[in-house]
Amino acid sequence: MDKRGYLRRFLKNKPAAAGGGFILFIGLIILLTPLIAPYSYEEQCLEDQYQGPSPHHWMGTDSKGRDLITRVMYGGRISLAVGLAGTAVSLLIGVTYGSVAGFLGGKIDNTMMRIVDTLYGLPFMFLVILLMTVVGRSIYVLFIALGAVQWLTMARIVRGQIIMLKEREFVEAARALGASKPRIIIHHLIPNILGPVVVYATLTVPAVMLEEAFLSFLGLGVQPPASSWGSLAADGMTVISPVKTYWWLVVFPGATLATTLFSLNFLGDGLRDALEPHSNY
Amino acid sequence: MFKVFLPLILVPVIACTAITLTTHRCQRAEITYVSGPEPETLDPALLTGALEGRIVAALFEGLTQYHPKDLSPTPGIAREWRVSEDGLVYTFFLRESCWSNEEPLTAHDFVYSWKRTLLPETAADYAYQLYYIKNARAFNEGKIEDFSQVGVCALDDYTLEVELERPTAFFLDLTSFPTLLPVDRKCIERYGEDWTKPGNMVSNGPFRLVEWRINDKLRMVKNPYYWDADQVRLQSVAALSIESINTGFNLYETGGADYLFGLPLPIVQVLKGRNDFHTDIYLATYFYRFNVTRKPFDDPRVRKAFAMAIDKGEIVNYVTRGGEVPAKTLVPPGMPHYQPPLGVPFDPEEARRLLAEAGYPAGKGFPKVELLFNTSEANKDIAEVVQQMWKKHLGVEVTLVNQEWKVFLSTVKNLDYQIARGNWIGDYVDPNTFLDMFVTEGGNNRTGWSNPRYDHLIEMAASEIVTRKRMDIFQEAEKILVEDELPILPIYYHVSFNIYRPYVKGVYPNILNVHPWKYMWIEREES
């Protein structure tokens, strides 16, 4: 099927198309944030604290009088950056690991996959928290830590695909021509498994973002005055009480996070249906 | 296969659930209060925090106890006492009372307890509360090994004689303080560090400890062997360990707790009109400590610059919002006869000048600085505002670090910080309770700061009898602390918040915010 066929099938899937559109929209806003943000994300103006949504502050202001929409925009940069960087790390590890295991097969494969099984059994959030405490709380540690716990499923998928492909004729041909093992993996196998890898990567982004939100919610993620959607929601939680609720501080960051995660998941599903009509993992 | 497996799995699961349900289902305590983070310790000699002190005050009783209304020392385990004319020798006549295991409590128990607190290997941070006793300091510092030289001695089983270094006006306030509470020798020798666990702990106060679940709750029930048990009307008190004050408040609002000692800052305004909201002046100060042993805060100019760059008025008006007062000194207002020094004003220009003079013009080249606080919404809110003020006025970037209560305490003790949040509640009504902690190597100093002149003044004040002169000496000492050297940065004076249900009776307002459970009772209107 040609490329336009993929596109048509993808666009026919309404939630996926809407999700993709929303992600594009968010992406655009986030790219342009420094230009279009109405206020500074860290400048406090205590006189204006706890103002509800108004024409001046579309999403209201927080306890320090900072404009919430600005903080949501900047928070999105961090949340998405964490999502993308974490996914990139998981791709790098997962694809390498999975393709080596799948291609070499036998005892090596067996050992490598049993290691993956063991790691699956570990409480991964605990590992991330441990890593953050030992190495220190920086955004880069967060990228690596989250990616480092997300590669397991990727490795399994890649291994399965590689095993399926490695007995095919074009691999046989490459081998007959004297190509080395790394060359076969990199030039012949990996390009052919891109479909499922892309699909799964799209689904990893929201997973990593959610984990970052979770960590920030616990106070372990990004540190103030920087914000991510998770830390904004956590801040919002502190002003919910039975007697007084500044609702906008929870609703806007929470809704943005939820919509983005939904969109990414729809997008991932749509891509899978479009690229891999026969698979259902 | 399943037929065999299913019962094998199900039976233990059901059994476990049943055991959990039956053992953990106990009747609710008469008063449940939100205590704060998990207590660091319940050892009276070792504790330093207010929340631990509140629990221990219910479990133990000293020679004297606070009068619930005016805080004056009233007879506790000591039935009466005599003070020699020169004010140096106190003779306490103890009543015949017993521990919670019915063993008699004697004057020897006090000698043992105070010796234990003073032993260098106990490493009690608060040991200096006993330094007013003759030779106690020398013993604590290891200069004398023989405890019989220390001025504490049991004349017989029920007479305790205490000889002081010099006349100390507030000594009878100290005898009700946690550090000076009696502990049971047999219990400690038998269980070692585990003696504070429920089941092991032997105490002598109105209540005894029956349950302590980590990060959940402590449960105390009335001690039938307490000498004044007839006065104790509450049968049980539960202290919930909840770090988040919002969770605590939600629990209170939904009926899960009857008493709160603090409030989430954003709702103080809203609660002000309610009949269960009680606020009062409070002998307590919120401040930041500088670690003066490390660069860049080894330079007083840097510390002063940081102090001058904070607009404390903004913090109390927009962050704490409960009627707190901006602080320029450590000693809060309300100390009788005491005229505090002026402290340093909010002056960003002067702050920048000082910072430039110290070698960091406009904050250039300033090292990475961390501001440490124990995890709580209020601490974070204040820290974020302060962080921004330092950035705006000094051009210095400060990162915020929060730690769980126990970790935080040990980090600060080990001087493993740069700036740390501090809080001090007066132990008695005298400037000394605030000022004596910053003497060289003081157990609660925790800044590494040392100033011979300051040490000398605090010592001078201790031996001065004329109140007027004594207060002048304190003023001079505090001037060094908050105007010249600034190892600490006072931020505001607290007000106390007590939120309790109308059926909780017997709570009396006072400036130390001491509310003994002993005098409280529950009175529900018949409906």
Side-chain angles (χ1 to χ4, degrees), chain B residues 27-180:
Chain B
Q27 223 186 349
R28 186 173 156 176
E30 277 187 296
I31 287 191
T32 302
Y33 78 98
V34 176
S35 158
E38 174 67 20
E40 186 195 16
T41 170
L42 289 187
D43 189 329
L46 299 181
L47 68 86
T48 55
L51 71 101
E52 291 89 356
R54 194 174 288 133
I55 298 167
V56 161
L59 297 172
F60 294 87
E61 183 167 292
L63 292 168
T64 56
Q65 51 175 323
Y66 288 114
H67 189 281
K69 288 180 187 160
D70 60 13
L71 299 177
S72 61
T74 54
I77 297 303
R79 133 176 83 78
E80 54 181 346
W81 52 84
R82 206 167 50 215
V83 188
S84 69
E85 242 159 61
D86 55 7
L88 283 177
V89 182
Y90 283 66
T91 315
F92 293 95
F93 302 99
L94 274 56
R95 65 181 81 244
E96 292 192 19
S97 64
C98 56
W99 293 99
S100 56
N101 59 1
E102 267 195 285
E103 299 265 335
L105 165 64
T106 66
H108 302 286
D109 288 312
F110 280 94
V111 178
Y112 165 77
S113 310
W114 293 4
K115 179 180 174 184
R116 174 172 173 267
T117 307
L118 284 172
L119 278 170
E121 56 263 36
T122 309
D125 290 325
Y126 244 138
Y128 65 87
Q129 294 285 50
L130 283 160
Y131 282 3
Y132 308 98
I133 300 169
K134 195 179 161 204
N135 286 334
R137 180 184 198 143
F139 183 79
N140 183 235
E141 287 170 352
K143 285 179 193 146
I144 45 176
E145 308 254 308
D146 180 12
F147 191 70
S148 63
Q149 289 182 32
V150 179
V152 188
C153 146
L155 297 182
D156 60 51
D157 277 358
Y158 293 100
T159 316
L160 184 73
E161 193 183 82
V162 182
E163 197 184 334
L164 304 186
E165 283 281 344
R166 38 186 174 255
T168 307
F170 45 82
F171 186 69
L172 287 173
D173 293 299
L174 283 177
T175 48
S176 54
F177 193 74
T179 322
L180 278 74

Side-chain angles (χ1 to χ4, degrees), chain B residues 195-481:
Chain B
W195 79 274
T196 53
K197 298 213 166 130
N200 301 354
M201 183 194 269
V202 172
S203 65
N204 75 324
F207 298 91
R208 61 193 182 83
L209 183 67
V210 289
E211 194 183 0
W212 181 2
R213 297 202 335 238
I214 303 291
N215 279 330
D216 182 10
K217 69 171 175 184
L218 262 123
R219 192 182 166 88
M220 300 175 273
V221 299
K222 183 175 169 175
N223 172 10
Y225 303 111
Y226 174 56
W227 68 271
D228 204 10
D230 293 347
Q231 291 279 332
V232 183
R233 291 163 78 174
L234 287 177
Q235 296 299 320
S236 52
V237 177
L240 305 181
S241 299
I242 295 175
E243 198 158 29
S244 159
I245 201 145
N246 286 302
T247 313
F249 180 73
N250 289 346
L251 205 64
Y252 175 81
E253 284 293 289
T254 49
D258 311 298
Y259 204 127
L260 282 185
F261 288 97
L263 271 181
L265 302 178
I267 58 163
V268 173
Q269 295 285 344
V270 188
L271 283 190
K272 268 189 170 164
R274 273 177 31 172
N275 69 341
D276 56 348
F277 176 82
H278 308 264
T279 179
D280 209 338
I281 56 164
Y282 191 9
L283 220 47
T285 309
Y286 189 102
F287 60 92
Y288 283 154
R289 282 184 164 91
F290 292 113
N291 181 355
V292 306
T293 61
R294 280 200 211 161
K295 269 190 171 315
F297 295 113
D298 55 344
D299 186 337
R301 288 173 301 191
V302 175
R303 305 197 292 260
K304 207 165 173 176
F306 271 61
M308 287 180 145
I310 296 186
D311 184 353
K312 295 155 188 172
E314 286 225 316
I315 295 176
V316 299
N317 287 337
Y318 296 108
V319 186
T320 62
R321 305 201 299 174
E324 291 84 354
V325 179
K328 289 180 187 166
T329 62
L330 178 64
V331 181
M335 283 290 181
H337 314 298
Y338 182 65
Q339 180 67 43
L342 292 175
V344 294
F346 169 57
D347 186 348
E349 223 159 280
E350 174 68 7
R352 278 191 290 272
R353 197 191 63 75
L354 279 167
L355 199 67
E357 201 181 295
Y360 310 105
K364 281 197 186 70
F366 203 80
K368 205 177 148 228
V369 175
E370 282 183 353
L371 168 56
L372 175 75
F373 53 92
N374 62 297
T375 312
S376 98
E377 294 93 349
N379 290 337
K380 179 168 170 256
D381 274 345
I382 294 165
E384 275 190 57
V385 172
V386 170
Q387 176 189 41
Q388 185 60 26
M389 288 173 178
W390 281 335
K391 185 171 179 191
K392 187 170 154 196
H393 299 309
L394 298 178
V396 172
E397 295 269 1
V398 176
T399 25
L400 307 185
V401 180
N402 62 311
Q403 288 182 344
E404 187 260 341
W405 178 238
K406 285 186 189 182
V407 184
F408 168 79
L409 284 177
S410 82
T411 311
V412 175
K413 259 180 222 180
N414 298 329
L415 291 182
D416 196 13
Y417 70 93
Q418 288 171 300
I419 311 172
R421 172 245 179 208
N423 203 36
W424 194 254
I425 304 164
D427 298 327
Y428 43 87
V429 188
D430 189 286
N432 193 55
T433 180
F434 283 89
L435 297 177
D436 72 345
M437 63 179 188
F438 288 105
V439 299
T440 305
E441 304 272 304
N444 287 317
N445 180 323
R446 298 174 186 178
T447 59
W449 183 69
S450 158
N451 181 304
R453 173 81 189 139
Y454 184 84
D455 295 353
H456 178 68
L457 285 168
I458 297 299
E459 214 158 293
M460 254 171 73
S463 46
E464 180 58 60
I465 312 166
V466 184
T467 312
R468 188 66 257 152
K469 280 189 192 162
R470 201 164 155 263
M471 294 301 161
D472 286 347
I473 299 171
F474 276 137
Q475 190 201 31
E476 201 188 331
E478 193 176 10
K479 199 163 174 291
I480 301 176
L481 192 71

Side-chain angles (χ1 to χ4, degrees), chain A residues 134-197:
Chain A
V134 174
V135 187
R137 288 179 202 171
S138 108
I139 189 89
Y140 304 105
V141 178
L142 198 69
F143 289 160
I144 296 184
L146 287 176
V149 297
Q150 275 294 342
W151 60 271
L152 301 172
T153 313
M154 184 67 81
R156 281 186 173 177
I157 290 171
V158 170
R159 170 182 170 270
Q161 294 288 322
I162 297 277
I163 287 177
M164 226 165 69
L165 291 180
K166 74 173 177 188
E167 305 302 336
R168 297 273 286 275
E169 294 82 355
F170 69 95
V171 181
E172 247 353 88
R175 204 173 282 152
L177 285 170
S180 65
K181 282 176 183 170
R183 195 185 156 82
I184 296 175
I185 293 179
I186 294 168
H187 285 272
H188 300 281
L189 288 173
I190 289 182
N192 281 293
I193 56 165
L194 272 186
V197 168

